[in-house]
Amino acid sequence: MSGFTLVELVIILAITLLLAATIGVLSSNTLPKNQLINESDTVVETLRRAQALTVAGKQDLPWGVHFTSSDMTLFAGSSYATRDVQYDERHVFPSGLTVTGLTDVVFVSITGDTGNTGTIALTVNATGETKSISVSASGLIEK
Protein backbone atom coordinates (compact mmCIF):
# COMPACT_ATOMS: atom_id res chain seq x y z
CA MET A 1 0.00 0.00 0.00
CA SER A 2 1.30 3.45 -0.87
CA GLY A 3 0.36 6.85 0.48
CA PHE A 4 0.99 9.07 3.46
CA THR A 5 0.42 8.14 7.06
CA LEU A 6 -1.47 10.38 9.43
CA VAL A 7 1.77 11.25 11.25
CA GLU A 8 3.43 12.39 8.00
CA LEU A 9 0.46 14.58 7.14
CA VAL A 10 0.46 16.19 10.60
CA ILE A 11 4.20 16.91 10.31
CA ILE A 12 3.75 18.52 6.88
CA LEU A 13 0.82 20.58 8.17
CA ALA A 14 2.86 21.76 11.18
CA ILE A 15 5.78 22.80 8.99
CA THR A 16 3.45 24.67 6.63
CA LEU A 17 1.79 26.55 9.50
CA LEU A 18 5.18 27.44 11.00
CA LEU A 19 6.37 28.88 7.66
CA ALA A 20 3.12 30.82 7.20
CA ALA A 21 3.38 32.32 10.70
CA THR A 22 7.00 33.35 10.12
CA ILE A 23 6.16 35.02 6.81
CA GLY A 24 3.22 36.84 8.44
CA VAL A 25 5.41 38.26 11.21
CA LEU A 26 8.13 39.36 8.78
CA SER A 27 5.69 41.06 6.43
CA SER A 28 3.86 42.88 9.25
CA ASN A 29 7.13 44.57 10.24
CA THR A 30 7.95 45.50 6.65
CA LEU A 31 4.81 47.56 5.95
CA PRO A 32 5.37 50.26 8.61
CA LYS A 33 9.05 50.49 7.66
CA ASN A 34 8.21 51.00 3.97
CA GLN A 35 5.57 53.55 4.91
CA LEU A 36 8.15 55.44 7.01
CA ILE A 37 10.62 55.48 4.11
CA ASN A 38 7.96 56.67 1.65
CA GLU A 39 6.72 59.44 3.95
CA SER A 40 10.24 60.68 4.74
CA ASP A 41 10.90 60.83 0.98
CA THR A 42 7.70 62.85 0.58
CA VAL A 43 8.81 65.32 3.27
CA VAL A 44 12.22 65.79 1.60
CA GLU A 45 10.59 66.25 -1.82
CA THR A 46 8.14 68.82 -0.44
CA LEU A 47 10.90 70.80 1.28
CA ARG A 48 13.00 70.79 -1.89
CA ARG A 49 9.98 71.84 -3.93
CA ALA A 50 9.34 74.80 -1.61
CA GLN A 51 12.99 75.76 -1.94
CA ALA A 52 12.91 75.49 -5.74
CA LEU A 53 9.70 77.55 -5.98
CA THR A 54 11.31 80.25 -3.81
CA VAL A 55 14.52 80.39 -5.83
CA ALA A 56 12.51 80.47 -9.07
CA GLY A 57 10.49 83.43 -7.75
CA LYS A 58 7.14 81.69 -8.23
CA GLN A 59 4.34 84.18 -7.42
CA ASP A 60 7.09 86.58 -6.22
CA LEU A 61 6.74 85.03 -2.76
CA PRO A 62 8.91 82.94 -0.48
CA TRP A 63 7.66 79.35 -0.08
CA GLY A 64 7.71 77.12 2.95
CA VAL A 65 6.39 73.98 4.59
CA HIS A 66 4.34 73.89 7.80
CA PHE A 67 4.31 70.69 9.91
CA THR A 68 1.90 69.40 12.51
CA SER A 69 2.02 65.97 14.12
CA SER A 70 -0.35 64.58 11.48
CA ASP A 71 0.13 66.63 8.28
CA MET A 72 2.25 69.11 6.34
CA THR A 73 1.30 72.04 4.13
CA LEU A 74 3.33 73.56 1.31
CA PHE A 75 2.52 77.28 1.38
CA ALA A 76 3.40 80.58 -0.29
CA GLY A 77 4.25 83.46 2.01
CA SER A 78 6.80 84.66 4.52
CA SER A 79 5.06 82.69 7.31
CA TYR A 80 2.32 80.12 7.66
CA ALA A 81 0.15 82.61 9.55
CA THR A 82 0.34 85.23 6.78
CA ARG A 83 0.40 82.84 3.80
CA ASP A 84 -1.67 83.09 0.63
CA VAL A 85 -4.03 80.13 1.22
CA GLN A 86 -4.91 79.72 -2.46
CA TYR A 87 -1.49 78.09 -2.99
CA ASP A 88 -1.70 75.64 -0.06
CA GLU A 89 -0.96 71.99 -0.79
CA ARG A 90 -1.73 69.74 2.18
CA HIS A 91 -0.41 66.22 2.73
CA VAL A 92 -1.88 64.10 5.54
CA PHE A 93 0.43 61.53 7.09
CA PRO A 94 -0.93 58.00 7.58
CA SER A 95 -2.36 57.18 10.98
CA GLY A 96 0.24 55.55 13.20
CA LEU A 97 2.93 58.00 12.06
CA THR A 98 3.86 61.06 14.12
CA VAL A 99 5.92 64.09 13.07
CA THR A 100 7.94 66.15 15.56
CA GLY A 101 10.62 68.83 15.37
CA LEU A 102 10.51 71.92 13.19
CA THR A 103 7.04 73.34 12.63
CA ASP A 104 7.89 75.76 9.81
CA VAL A 105 10.62 75.93 7.19
CA VAL A 106 10.52 79.04 4.96
CA PHE A 107 13.14 79.63 2.28
CA VAL A 108 14.76 82.96 1.35
CA SER A 109 14.33 84.28 -2.19
CA ILE A 110 17.22 83.94 -4.64
CA THR A 111 19.56 81.97 -2.32
CA GLY A 112 17.23 79.24 -1.01
CA ASP A 113 18.68 79.66 2.48
CA THR A 114 16.49 79.39 5.56
CA GLY A 115 16.46 80.74 9.09
CA ASN A 116 14.57 77.65 10.22
CA THR A 117 17.26 75.09 10.99
CA GLY A 118 16.90 71.83 12.82
CA THR A 119 15.41 68.38 12.46
CA ILE A 120 12.08 66.90 11.47
CA ALA A 121 11.50 63.42 12.88
CA LEU A 122 8.95 60.92 11.57
CA THR A 123 8.16 58.08 13.98
CA VAL A 124 6.13 54.90 13.56
CA ASN A 125 4.09 54.74 16.76
CA ALA A 126 3.83 50.93 16.84
CA THR A 127 7.56 50.22 16.52
CA GLY A 128 9.22 53.47 17.61
CA GLU A 129 11.32 53.46 14.43
CA THR A 130 12.31 57.00 13.41
CA LYS A 131 13.64 58.76 10.31
CA SER A 132 15.18 62.20 10.76
CA ILE A 133 15.46 64.94 8.17
CA SER A 134 17.82 67.84 8.84
CA VAL A 135 17.59 71.35 7.42
CA SER A 136 20.67 73.59 7.50
CA ALA A 137 20.91 77.39 7.26
CA SER A 138 22.24 77.10 3.71
CA GLY A 139 19.06 75.22 2.76
CA LEU A 140 20.67 71.78 2.62
CA ILE A 141 18.04 69.09 3.25
CA GLU A 142 19.35 65.67 4.28
CA LYS A 143 17.92 62.36 5.45
Side-chain angles (χ1 to χ4, degrees), residues 66-133:
H66 175 75
F67 295 94
T68 69
S69 62
S70 60
D71 66 13
M72 70 177 167
T73 304
L74 174 71
F75 66 90
S78 57
S79 74
Y80 183 72
T82 61
R83 72 193 188 280
D84 189 338
V85 295
Q86 71 177 335
Y87 301 112
D88 283 5
E89 293 180 20
R90 186 171 176 244
H91 174 80
V92 177
F93 296 112
S95 61
L97 188 74
T98 303
V99 179
T100 56
L102 289 172
T103 55
D104 290 299
V105 179
V106 180
F107 295 96
V108 177
S109 297
I110 300 172
T111 64
D113 296 347
T114 183
N116 311 108
T117 61
T119 303
I120 301 154
L122 285 79
T123 305
V124 176
N125 299 338
T127 64
E129 188 170 357
T130 300
K131 287 276 186 195
S132 294
I133 299 157

Side-chain angles (χ1 to χ4, degrees), residues 14-28:
I15 291 171
T16 303
L17 289 174
L18 183 64
L19 287 173
T22 302
I23 290 169
V25 168
L26 292 175
S27 67
S28 70

Side-chain angles (χ1 to χ4, degrees), residues 15-76:
I15 291 171
T16 303
L17 289 174
L18 183 64
L19 287 173
T22 302
I23 290 169
V25 168
L26 292 175
S27 67
S28 70
N29 289 336
T30 303
L31 183 62
K33 184 173 184 164
N34 287 341
Q35 193 174 52
L36 180 61
I37 291 168
N38 290 341
E39 292 301 319
S40 65
D41 287 345
T42 301
V43 169
V44 169
E45 290 168 10
T46 303
L47 286 166
R48 288 183 178 154
R49 183 163 175 237
Q51 186 179 40
L53 289 168
T54 301
V55 170
K58 183 81 170 181
Q59 307 303 330
D60 290 324
L61 292 168
W63 288 75
V65 182
H66 175 75
F67 295 94
T68 69
S69 62
S70 60
D71 66 13
M72 70 177 167
T73 304
L74 174 71
F75 66 90

